[in-house]
Amino acid sequence: MIVILATVALTGCSAVSESRFNPLNWFGSSQPDPAAMNPAESATNPLIPARRISLFRSNQPAAFAGRPIADITELLIERRPGGAIIRATGQASRVGPFDVRLMVDETASTKGTLVFDMRALQQAGPRNTGPLARQVTVARWITDQDLRGIRSITVRGANTARTVRR
């Protein structure tokens, strides 16, 4: 009798695990979208400071001068207690991207949509290398308060974007 009850209970769990009532299924798999972003290319080297260090200079942080990653290849939203982790993987057009960030685009984000730009500092390097030498992954924590009312999350690169919807 106990074996029969356990079997019936466990078969019911498989239906709930694939339903929309399960919070782990709120974000589905990502879909490719064309990116409408036009990156401003800069000929300056990000490793060389543009101005001299001075005693009288303010300590205001400079704006991040990263360039958009060429292609977004993967976007995952991992639910955690208190929020979610947005994890994006992309391929740069050149070898050696570093200091990769997901930056919120306030102008493109709406009440129900969060839009991020995946940017990195990049050096002028070779372009015709293997894809693994140009691949980068970045993650960002978003709280439940920030996710309230959000129905889709988009991460954009220079050529492509990926979107995840609830």
Side-chain angles (χ1 to χ4, degrees), residues 27-42:
F27 288 102
S29 60
S30 63
Q31 304 294 326
D33 290 336
M37 193 167 147
N38 188 8
E41 292 288 322
S42 174

Side-chain angles (χ1 to χ4, degrees), residues 5-75:
L5 288 175
T7 305
V8 170
L10 288 176
T11 56
C13 290
S14 68
V16 173
S17 69
E18 297 172 3
S19 71
R20 287 289 189 191
F21 295 114
N22 185 351
L24 297 176
N25 293 335
W26 285 354
F27 288 102
S29 60
S30 63
Q31 304 294 326
D33 290 336
M37 193 167 147
N38 188 8
E41 292 288 322
S42 174
T44 61
N45 186 343
L47 298 177
I48 300 174
R51 50 186 188 174
R52 294 183 18 210
I53 297 174
S54 170
L55 180 63
F56 303 106
R57 190 180 88 204
S58 69
N59 290 332
Q60 299 263 341
F64 183 66
R67 289 189 234 156
I69 294 295
D71 297 311
I72 307 301
T73 57
E74 182 180 34
L75 175 61

Side-chain angles (χ1 to χ4, degrees), residues 27 104-116 142-154 164 166:
F27 288 102
V104 177
D105 186 351
E106 300 287 340
T107 58
S109 296
T110 62
K111 190 173 184 176
T113 303
L114 264 178
V115 178
F116 292 94
I142 300 293
T143 64
D144 281 336
Q145 290 81 13
D146 294 335
L147 285 173
R148 186 172 296 133
I150 300 298
R151 303 303 293 167
S152 69
I153 296 174
T154 301
V164 173
R166 282 201 220 207

